[in-house]
Amino acid sequence: MAFAEERDGFSGPEGSWLYTVTIQGLPSFQGIETYSAGGGYSEADQLSFGSGSLASAGHGVWKSTSERKFELTYLNLTFDGVPGNPTGTLKVRQTTTIDKAGNSYKGSGDYAYFDLNGAPMTFPGASGTFTIIATRIKLEAPAK
């Protein structure tokens, strides 16, 4: 199914998307994400494989909040860059509005890193805000 079923005037985000995140002071980066019916979520992004730190794919939940709007919370497991030792988690929270056609969205949110004991980390950039834009990945037939 290319688009989610419409419920109460809201066509949900179910399906897969290509997104771009902007955090002030950092280069923008892309990611891919999938919203499942019933509120499941998974993602992977380019920032998670940067030098000096690593992160797992993100897993979380989403919920419709009003017509064409939804909220999202997800977590990544984090590791130091070279030996791959666990360092904690990254929590991302986002509010998003899907366009009327259901093919793109814009949103914003916040993020924070936590250590293995769940305490907020305090290094520069350990928390902040971001903006996000995304386009729905559409089914394409292979070239003949």
Side-chain angles (χ1 to χ4, degrees), residues 47-111:
L47 187 65
S48 295
F49 302 98
S51 62
S53 65
L54 300 170
S56 69
H59 295 270
V61 296
W62 69 272
K63 178 183 173 186
S64 173
T65 56
S66 64
E67 185 176 344
R68 296 188 338 270
K69 294 184 181 196
F70 65 94
E71 291 181 344
L72 166 68
T73 300
Y74 70 91
L75 300 174
N76 299 84
L77 301 174
T78 59
F79 305 87
D80 61 16
V82 179
N85 296 315
T87 57
T89 57
L90 166 65
K91 181 187 287 185
V92 177
R93 301 180 301 180
Q94 177 180 317
T95 301
T96 306
T97 302
I98 298 176
D99 72 340
K100 288 187 179 188
N103 295 318
S104 66
Y105 75 64
K106 293 181 181 182
S108 61
D110 59 41
Y111 67 91

Side-chain angles (χ1 to χ4, degrees), residues 7 14 35-41 60-63:
R7 297 179 310 277
E14 290 96 336
Y35 293 86
S36 301
Y41 176 81
V61 296
W62 69 272
K63 178 183 173 186

Side-chain angles (χ1 to χ4, degrees), residues 17-21 29-33 43-47 137:
W17 300 76
L18 173 66
Y19 66 82
T20 301
V21 169
F29 61 91
Q30 290 187 313
I32 51 175
E33 60 189 355
E43 69 84 46
D45 63 64
Q46 295 168 326
L47 187 65
I137 299 172

